[in-house]
Structure formats: structure tokens, C-alpha cells
Amino acid sequence: MITYLYEKDLRRMKFNILTSTWHDLAVRQIARRLSIDLQRLRLIMIQRFDMSLLENLPARWEAGLRHADTNDPTARELGCELFSRFIPFVEPDEMQTICSETRAEIDNGTPEVQAIDAGKARIREVILS
Amino acid sequence: MKKTVDVSIPIGPVHPCWKEPIRIKCETAGERVRRAEVELGYMKKGIERIMRGRPWQEVMFLAERVCGICSVIHNMVFIEAMEAISGITVPPRAAYLRVIVNELDRIASHLIANFSYCYTIEHETLAMYLLNVREVVLDNLERITGSRINTAYMIPGGVRFDLSEEDAAALLADLATVEAEMRRYVKMFETGPLIGLRSRGIGILTQEAAIEAHAVGPTARASGIPECDQRLRHPTYRELGFAPVSRTEGDNFARVMVRFDEVFQSIGLIRACIDRLPDGPVRGGGDCGPGEIVYRGEAPRGELAYCIRSDEYGRILDISIRTPSIMNIEACSHYMVRDVTSLADVTSTFISADPCIACTER
């Protein structure tokens, strides 16, 4: 088996980053918002994000809560920019599609709560896939 | 047919341009960098864990050992956080002395950051000039605090040493020398054609990207976000009428120039402090007590935040430190170096963000 000299297993260090005081608080808030199991979310983050992004996670989360989707209540509920630009779980194009389809559903008469719940479920599905 | 080769090129962990070890993996298409990924973990100190359970008298010394370059601000933010928890007031003279020492530290930090940048783009002459000026600044830090690097100058309720009139006069004289020399060096940087080629329009961080990555300090201010400066919210700086430096280009040149401009600004702030320095004691005393706080200050590299929980004896039960380099390194690796046209620009762009790995890994 070929092992590369500099290719280290970073999972342990990434886990340590995610479980420090500030990060743990942010990860728990994100898990609650997305209704995803905490351990599952940590695993997804460890797999998808590099160490610098993980270190910066609480700052990005705070920036996202302050600046993301300020003009559109539907997008704010779904976390369109929050989970595509600030915490990049979903590709921006994919998120845009989910967001516009949710808006279209609301315009077609689907109750807002129901449409947003469906949109959130789709976002969750993309994140977990 | 032209062949496009995608290669993952590692830069570091040991690299002549890096002051500290970090590894950046660059995914390239030819010379163009498509994306970069950062690997940390080469110098983890675990300082937060060491701090837990210790009395504040020990933690204040540990705090300034998070970073050797900007140690004063770690001392200042930790002590001001403990003062805020415990309701300790600082005598006005001590508050001004804190600003003087903090600004001297900022000048020293900005000079070494710009030294590193000039060194990275192979302008060693200017780099050495800047390092030479930094010595004068460090000498003045030593004159006031007794130490060049880890000064431990600030204590709850004041500062350790007063500033005598002779020392203040010597400081002002040295600042006049630093200012005159810096004007020459800034002109060299601004007008150097090769410097311009390596710096202008390279490693651009747009305002939107800076907001997304929560970039802070000169990195954010070079992208048009002046309000990120925590000094705007500090009572002593507000008394001094502080207004942040800002630019809009967002490239390597802008980041270095913001730091140069802030050196002059810091000199102005020190002069204003000495002008207005009130008479009175420099130590008010006070006991550190129980409480919990998130306290922010403006380090040379940007917003530094301490989240502290202490008990009735002033012991630190829990502490978490968010250093500015965490945000700026992330902004650099995911926005600034993305799509740079040459791999050679990765190192200079990275250094232009003034990354401190010791801070990041704390």
C-alpha cells in the first residue's frame, strides 16, 4: 500500500477543533437549525471542510446570522446564503434552485410553513447525501 | 492539442517564506490555482487547555504567550476582560499608557508583516530597512515596559510602570525618526514598478468575500470594511477621536498600504496620548471575581476575542480565544489565492494577509 509522507489523517485534529468551547456552541446551533444529528453533522463537516474553514466556523456562523439573506424572508427561513456562502454545505446553484422552487410553491398557493418545511427537508437531503 | 494538467502542489509546511509551519495544498491547472486547502497542526500549543483551572495571575502570562508578535494585545484583552467581569476601573493615566504600549506593539507587528511581504516578493532591501526601524520601536517598548516582547505591562486596575517625562521625550524623538524614515520607505513601496507588478491586482478579496469569511483587521479594511476595527468601540480610543484607515482595492498592495498607513496613525495616537496624558496614579487595584464574558479588542491583525468564565477566586474555569489570523487565513486560502494566475503569487498573497500560525493554533 502506498502511503504518502505528508498525507496525514486529519480527522482527529478536525474533531478537536469542532469540540472546542466556541466551535461546539456553533455546531450545536447549526445542528439544531438543520435538524441533523450532532455527531452526523460533525462527521459531514470533517469530511467536507478543511482545517482553516473548521477553525473559522463560529466566525462564519455569526457573520452569516448577521449578513445572510437580509432582504428575503423565505430565503432567510431556508438559510439560502447561510448554508451556501457562509457555511458552504450546498452549492450556490443548487441552493438557488431549492430557494426559487420554494418561492414558486408559495406563489402557487401552498401554505408558507409547508413550503418552507419542504425546502428545508430538501436542503437537509442535499447535506446528508 | 494543448494539454491541461491538474496537479496538487503542496506549499509548506516548511517554506523559506513562511515564518511558521503551515501547509497549503494548491489544486492547479497549469500555473493557475483553482483552489487551495490549508492543513494546520504543526505547532499546536494547547494553551487554552493549560489556562483552564489556573488563577488569573498565571493566565495573564500565558495569554501573552499565545503570540510573540502581538503579545501586548493578548495581555490587554485578557486583563480588560477580567476588569469587566469584576467591575474594576482603570485610572485615566493608566488607560492612556495602555494605548501607548498597544500602539507601539501594533507598529512593531505591522513592520514585521510588511517586512515579510517585501522579503517574499524579493525586495530584500526594503525588507531590511523595515526590520531596522522595528528595532527602534522595540527599544521603546523596552524603555516603557522593561521588555521587548512579552511585556506583561497591564494588570487589573492599571499598568505596572509609569512613564517618566524623560522617557516620554525620548519616545517622541524616536517616533519622529521612525516617521521620517517610514515616509521614505512607503514612497519606495508605492512607486516601485516591480513591487507594483507583484502586488497590484493580485490576491483580491472582494468586500462580499471578506464579509462571508468574517475577515478582520487590515485584511478587511483593505477590502472596504472600516467598521470592523474594534478600537471604534474602545472608550480610550473614542476619547482620542480614532477613525480607522481603509481602502477599497482588496489586493496585496492595499493590504500592505493599510498597514503602512496604520503605522502613521499609531504614531499620531501615541503623540495624542502623551499630549493629553493626565496626572494621577497608574494602579487602581481591585480583586478579580466570578463571571462570564466575551470581550473583544483590536489586535494588529484584527479582532481578538476572549470568552472567559471565572470563579470567585479569579480562577479561569473556561477560556476560548478567537484570534484574527483564524479568519484571515481562511479568507486567504478560500478567496484570495483562488484563481491567482501564478503559483508564485500564492506565497506573496498568503503573506500579505499577515498570517500568524501561532495565534491560529494557540
Side-chain angles (χ1 to χ4, degrees):
Chain A
M1 195 179 95
I2 298 169
T3 52
Y4 294 99
L5 186 62
Y6 291 112
E7 291 299 335
K8 294 191 295 186
D9 182 0
L10 303 173
R11 284 176 299 181
R12 184 70 191 266
M13 284 195 282
K14 285 182 173 181
F15 182 74
N16 282 345
I17 292 171
L18 283 182
T19 49
S20 76
T21 312
W22 228 317
H23 291 77
D24 194 47
L25 204 69
V27 175
R28 280 174 196 277
Q29 285 174 3
I30 297 168
R32 213 173 302 131
R33 170 91 188 246
L34 290 168
S35 306
I36 295 177
D37 175 61
L38 181 66
Q39 293 290 57
R40 188 80 191 274
L41 187 69
R42 279 183 185 148
L43 182 67
I44 291 166
M45 286 177 166
I46 286 169
Q47 285 168 342
R48 293 198 195 161
F49 299 157
D50 74 342
M51 290 177 91
S52 71
L53 205 151
L54 290 181
E55 278 280 15
N56 198 21
L57 197 75
R60 270 182 172 265
W61 174 244
E62 284 168 23
L65 292 177
R66 217 170 25 245
H67 299 289
D69 306 302
T70 44
N71 300 322
D72 182 352
T74 310
R76 191 165 181 84
E77 274 295 310
L78 289 172
C80 282
E81 286 180 354
L82 184 62
F83 295 118
S84 60
R85 285 175 50 206
F86 289 87
I87 313 283
F89 281 124
V90 184
E91 287 295 319
D93 295 343
E94 206 169 358
M95 184 59 102
Q96 204 50 55
T97 312
I98 295 171
C99 203
S100 30
E101 284 176 11
T102 306
R103 261 191 235 109
E105 273 184 43
I106 294 169
D107 292 343
N108 290 340
T110 312
E112 198 174 327
V113 178
Q114 198 182 323
I116 286 172
D117 281 347
K120 281 181 179 174
R122 282 183 66 190
I123 292 169
R124 195 161 44 245
E125 206 175 289
V126 174
I127 294 171
L128 293 172
S129 62
Chain B
M1 197 177 86
K2 195 178 173 187
K3 194 179 169 189
T4 305
V5 186
D6 289 345
V7 189
S8 174
I9 297 177
I11 302 177
V14 179
H15 188 279
C17 293
W18 290 177
K19 284 179 287 184
E20 299 158 287
I22 187 170
R23 185 174 184 226
I24 304 178
K25 281 196 288 189
C26 299
E27 302 286 327
T28 59
E31 268 288 295
R32 186 176 287 274
V33 177
R34 297 168 115 190
R35 56 188 285 272
E37 204 172 282
V38 169
E39 269 185 33
L40 301 163
Y42 295 96
M43 53 182 300
K44 178 76 181 167
K45 295 193 284 288
I47 211 157
E48 290 164 335
R49 189 167 291 184
I50 299 169
M51 286 171 167
R52 284 184 197 127
R54 291 180 186 271
W56 68 265
Q57 293 93 330
E58 288 180 20
V59 174
M60 69 168 270
F61 294 107
L62 284 167
E64 58 180 9
R65 276 155 182 79
V66 169
C67 178
I69 295 171
C70 55
S71 61
V72 169
I73 190 69
H74 280 274
N75 179 214
M76 186 166 170
V77 170
F78 175 73
I79 293 297
E80 289 190 349
M82 290 309 291
E83 286 169 349
I85 283 175
S86 317
I88 299 171
T89 50
V90 184
R93 187 175 176 86
Y96 277 87
L97 288 175
R98 282 181 180 186
V99 171
I100 291 174
V101 172
N102 188 30
E103 291 308 313
L104 277 174
D105 190 54
R106 188 181 314 279
I107 296 173
S109 174
H110 282 355
L111 287 177
I112 204 167
N114 287 356
F115 150 80
S116 294
Y117 184 76
C118 294
Y119 191 78
T120 306
I121 60 166
E122 299 285 338
H123 201 310
E124 290 186 24
T125 311
L126 183 52
M128 292 304 161
Y129 282 155
L130 294 175
L131 212 52
N132 214 20
V133 174
R134 185 173 178 264
E135 283 303 302
V136 180
V137 179
L138 290 181
D139 287 345
N140 278 286
L141 260 179
E142 189 179 7
R143 180 181 287 135
I144 299 171
T145 67
S147 178
R148 284 158 59 91
I149 303 289
N150 292 316
T151 60
Y153 184 61
M154 294 159 210
I155 49 172
V159 295
R160 278 181 195 279
F161 312 110
D162 201 354
L163 181 69
S164 67
E165 277 185 23
E166 301 81 65
D167 285 347
L171 172 60
L172 287 174
D174 279 348
L175 285 180
T177 314
V178 169
E179 192 179 28
E181 290 196 20
M182 284 303 296
R183 293 220 181 277
R184 196 159 67 91
Y185 304 150
V186 172
K187 199 174 173 193
M188 277 172 74
F189 187 84
E190 263 184 316
T191 54
L194 290 175
I195 293 173
L197 277 175
R198 289 296 308 270
S199 312
R200 288 183 198 267
I202 290 168
I204 292 173
L205 179 71
T206 60
Q207 196 182 40
E208 295 76 44
I211 291 169
E212 263 173 48
H214 198 283
V216 290
T219 305
R221 291 196 281 279
S223 298
I225 311 176
E227 63 277 7
C228 68
D229 200 318
Q230 292 298 319
R231 286 176 288 179
L232 286 167
R233 292 170 264 290
H234 192 281
T236 319
Y237 283 95
R238 285 166 75 161
E239 270 177 39
L240 292 164
F242 171 79
V245 170
S246 150
R247 291 176 83 100
T248 51
E249 303 99 306
D251 55 4
N252 292 357
F253 184 82
R255 285 186 281 278
V256 175
M257 282 307 295
V258 164
R259 268 183 236 116
F260 274 133
D261 290 342
E262 286 192 357
V263 167
F264 295 116
Q265 187 188 46
S266 294
I267 292 172
L269 284 168
I270 295 170
R271 283 185 182 138
C273 282
I274 292 176
D275 265 359
R276 300 181 189 186
L277 198 62
D279 289 329
V282 294
R283 284 190 193 199
D287 290 327
C288 290
E292 193 169 355
I293 197 169
V294 175
Y295 194 88
R296 293 163 211 273
E298 185 69 16
R301 296 182 177 85
E303 177 196 303
L304 169 69
Y306 271 64
C307 175
I308 298 174
R309 188 158 56 86
S310 65
D311 68 5
E312 66 268 34
Y313 306 109
R315 258 192 318 233
I316 306 304
L317 300 177
D318 196 10
I319 186 163
S320 196
I321 306 167
R322 188 160 80 199
T323 59
S325 290
I326 291 172
M327 287 81 104
N328 291 339
I329 287 178
E330 204 266 314
C332 177
S333 61
H334 294 134
Y335 299 98
M336 292 182 213
V337 301
R338 193 171 59 195
D339 279 331
V340 293
T341 48
S342 163
L343 202 63
D345 290 332
V346 173
T347 47
S348 61
T349 302
F350 186 66
I351 294 296
S352 76
D354 192 11
C356 178
I357 317 303
C359 276
T360 308
E361 305 215 11
R362 57 214 185 281

